[in-house]
Amino acid sequence: MPSPRQQRFSRCLHFIDTLLGAATLGGRLSALSYRIGLHGKLGVTRHTLALPPERRLARPLKIAFASDFHAGRSTHPAIFDDLFARIASEQPDVLLLGGDYITGPARHVAVLCERLIDCRPPLGKFAVFGNHDRATDHKLIARRFKQAGVRMLVNRAVMLAPPFDTVSVCGMDDPWTGAPSAAGTFAGARPVRVLLMHAPDGLLSLKGQRYDIGFAGHTHGGQIALPDGTPIVMPQGPLSRPYYYGRFPVRGNGDLIVTRGVGCGGIPVRINADPELVICTVQ
């Protein structure tokens, strides 16, 4: 049963989606935007993490991370072809998905699932819900992802297969429309902990739990930013503002990597906030 907060958020999103559907001409505007380059140019951003000697891995672990797809009227599906072509060329060990898979009805997730089925990293595909997902039929999204071989993590840790069985992916529920639980997220986690969550604000729910590297999205890097990358309008959320894009040290914990995401939320335009695939090599 959705909480009152989820119900209010869902009604608000439905109203906004109805207005945007009319404003974007039912998706025709996003097609034009993509063709003339206003979706931005998808790139790859690379990070490395050197673990302390006592937690060093047998060989480097290559993680691919993507978030904020917003399949629907505001994002042309061709950007997803660009993304999955990049993932295939990078050949990661594991793929992490950071939420907000759709804008509008949950059925839009089918566009992603068509491509996810053919994406087969050897250690698996893992996902968490975002606020847009929780505000719609998130159970449908979970079912479709399961059919595509994606494991949805809702406050749950999953150990990777050997030789990376000292590593757990710890997926936390969305901090605003879900029910994040630090105890559940890290229960039974192995010594090397990879935190996957939708928004940087999930850090507020950690309650002293430790992780080695964290991944979040939600902010879009502002989606429309100044030439130096500073958002024109700062993302909502107390930590989504200071952690709007990049890699950040977190006091008493591992770094947090915040991606600009892939799709367009609201309007089908990105300026100085190009879509990206994050590749992080842990060694």
Side-chain angles (χ1 to χ4, degrees), residues 105-130:
R107 57 180 168 79
H108 290 313
V109 79
V111 174
L112 293 177
C113 292
E114 292 168 3
R115 293 154 175 84
L116 280 166
I117 288 172
D118 295 325
C119 178
R120 298 187 179 95
L123 297 179
K125 299 169 283 191
F126 303 92
V128 292
F129 287 122

Side-chain angles (χ1 to χ4, degrees), residues 101 125-129 141-142 145 150-154 156:
Y101 306 106
K125 299 169 283 191
F126 303 92
V128 292
F129 287 122
I141 294 173
F145 268 26
V150 180
R151 299 179 70 176
M152 187 66 70
L153 304 182
V154 180
R156 186 161 65 102

